[in-house]
Amino acid sequence: LMKTKTIYLRVDVDFNLGLKKGVPFLLDLFSEKNICGTFFVVMGPDTLYRHTSRVGKKGYKKRLASFNWLKLLYYVGFAYLRSRFLRPAVGPDAPEVLKQIIDKGHELGIHGYNHAEWSDRCFEFDRDETERQIDQAVDQFKTLFPNRDWIWGAPNWKLNTHMLNHLEKSGVSYSSDL
C-alpha cells in the first residue's frame, strides 16, 4: 500500500495581482493535490511599484531574467499603474478571496502592513515604528475577521528584536519568520 502524504506550504501574498489571480489558481491546485497551505497576506498598500527601484540590487537581475516578460507585461501592466497611483490595499481590497482561503481549509495569516517598507527598512525601525507596522496590519485583519486568531509571517522573512517582543505581548497565535 502506498501512503498518502499531506504537504504544507507557506504562501506569501505581497500584491493585489497575486491575491486576485494567483491565489484562486493555487486554491484549486492545492485542492486537487491534497496540499494544505498557510497564506500570509499583506494587510496594507500594494507596493508593486517599489520593485522598479530594486533592479540594481544583487540577485534581482537574475530573478528578473527568469520571467516570461510578455506574460509579465500582460498581467502586471495595469496592475503596476494601479498600485503606483491608486495605492489600493492588498488583503482588505479582496475580502472574498481571503474568505475562500479560510473556507477551503487553509490558514490565513498576516504578512505585514507595508511590505516594501518592511523589506527595505525593518532593521532600521525603532520600537515605535515596528509596533505601528504590526498594529496597522493586525487592525486591518481584525476588521475583516474580528473573531479570528491571527498569525504572522514577516515580509521578506526579515525580523528585528522589536518585532519579536511586540508579537509576544500582542497575542499572536504563532509566527513564521525563520
Side-chain angles (χ1 to χ4, degrees):
L1 286 172
M2 194 168 99
K3 290 185 179 180
T4 59
K5 293 183 180 178
T6 303
I7 299 171
Y8 297 90
L9 296 175
R10 172 179 161 156
V11 179
D12 292 349
V13 183
D14 304 343
F15 313 118
N16 277 309
L17 182 66
L19 184 61
K20 293 177 180 172
K21 291 191 176 195
V23 169
F25 171 80
L26 288 176
L27 291 174
D28 291 342
L29 178 67
F30 286 9
S31 291
E32 179 185 314
K33 303 291 183 184
N34 192 34
I35 297 172
C36 295
T38 301
F39 290 79
F40 288 99
V41 179
V42 168
M43 290 292 147
D46 187 332
T47 56
L48 177 64
Y49 70 93
R50 294 275 296 267
H51 278 261
T52 56
S53 66
R54 295 187 171 111
V55 172
K57 290 188 178 179
K58 183 180 176 183
Y60 204 76
K61 287 180 184 177
K62 186 176 180 181
R63 188 171 160 196
L64 290 176
S66 69
F67 289 166
N68 177 333
W69 282 100
L70 290 176
K71 194 180 274 190
L72 183 69
L73 285 173
Y74 174 77
Y75 285 115
V76 176
F78 180 71
Y80 172 81
L81 292 174
R82 184 173 184 257
S83 71
R84 180 72 174 111
F85 298 108
L86 300 179
R87 305 284 172 99
V90 180
D93 275 8
E96 68 286 349
V97 180
L98 301 180
K99 189 171 176 340
Q100 284 178 6
I101 292 168
I102 295 166
D103 290 347
K104 293 196 176 206
H106 303 280
E107 281 188 300
L108 175 64
I110 300 169
H111 193 47
Y113 180 74
N114 185 321
H115 190 281
E117 194 70 22
W118 187 279
S119 299
D120 292 346
R121 296 188 43 242
C122 91
F123 301 129
E124 301 164 20
F125 286 170
D126 61 12
R127 183 180 56 86
D128 291 340
E129 179 60 21
T130 300
E131 291 180 3
R132 187 182 69 76
Q133 289 275 335
I134 294 169
D135 293 344
Q136 283 182 295
V138 172
D139 289 347
Q140 290 292 329
F141 184 86
K142 286 295 191 182
T143 297
L144 296 168
F145 304 102
N147 299 317
R148 216 172 164 74
D149 288 339
W150 59 279
I151 56 177
W152 176 267
N156 260 29
W157 298 84
K158 293 182 178 179
L159 55 133
N160 62 35
T161 306
H162 306 299
M163 182 197 92
L164 296 173
N165 292 334
H166 191 58
L167 289 177
E168 191 173 312
K169 65 182 178 185
S170 294
V172 68
S173 295
Y174 75 85
S175 175
S176 172
D177 304 308
L178 299 174

